[in-house]
Amino acid sequence: MALDPDAQLVTINYEGGYIEMPVGNAKSLFGDDPTVLRPEGVETSVSVKSHARTRVIGGPSTPVASYQYTYTQWPTQAGSQSAGGEAIEMTWEGSEGSWTARMGGSAWELGTFLNTKSPKAVSFKTHQGTGYGPFIKSGT
């Protein structure tokens, strides 16, 4: 028996969280444009103060000069077994009803992501019954 590729789950990471949904629902909501799957990294600068380093307790200390470095912080999701995300109910233009997805992070961050990426009007409701939306990318 062949598996339907549109029934497989896809995780879309964004700054502050992620959403996990079937591929077919992601195509219906975001279209076939794969750019929504490309997360955007945030350039982060770190400053380290000068300090003394002692390699062995009771041994001599070595001075370490202050320095600074920059890296790109990519969106992540929790990896523990209990971190499955929160079930939400989503509805969008042309969805033919409500669909279940899983959200990691806060609802306002998901709303911000949908408001910048969704070409269709989309609303969602948390398991507590709080409704959010509709969200739609401006200029569409």
Side-chain angles (χ1 to χ4, degrees), residues 21-127:
M21 61 186 356
V23 170
N25 287 353
K27 284 181 183 177
S28 173
L29 177 57
F30 298 110
D32 287 329
D33 183 15
T35 58
V36 74
L37 296 176
R38 282 188 224 125
E40 297 174 13
V42 177
E43 290 296 316
T44 305
S45 293
V46 177
S47 296
V48 179
K49 294 180 181 179
S50 60
H51 59 281
R53 177 177 292 151
T54 305
R55 303 233 349 129
V56 179
I57 295 174
S61 295
T62 307
V64 177
S66 63
Y67 60 96
Q68 185 174 12
Y69 62 94
T70 303
Y71 66 95
T72 302
Q73 176 64 54
W74 297 98
T76 60
Q77 69 187 67
S80 72
Q81 291 185 13
S82 63
E86 177 183 344
I88 59 172
E89 188 178 290
M90 299 183 73
T91 307
W92 59 90
E93 250 179 275
S95 67
E96 299 179 12
S98 296
W99 295 88
T100 301
R102 297 197 79 74
M103 166 188 76
S106 66
W108 72 266
E109 288 167 317
L110 175 58
T112 300
F113 169 74
L114 293 171
N115 210 39
T116 59
K117 298 291 184 183
S118 176
K120 297 179 178 180
V122 58
S123 300
F124 67 92
K125 189 183 295 188
T126 63
H127 72 279

Side-chain angles (χ1 to χ4, degrees), residues 3-24:
L3 293 175
D4 181 5
D6 284 349
Q8 302 301 309
L9 293 177
V10 63
T11 301
I12 302 170
N13 291 305
Y14 53 87
E15 188 176 349
Y18 66 92
I19 184 167
E20 184 178 78
M21 61 186 356
V23 170

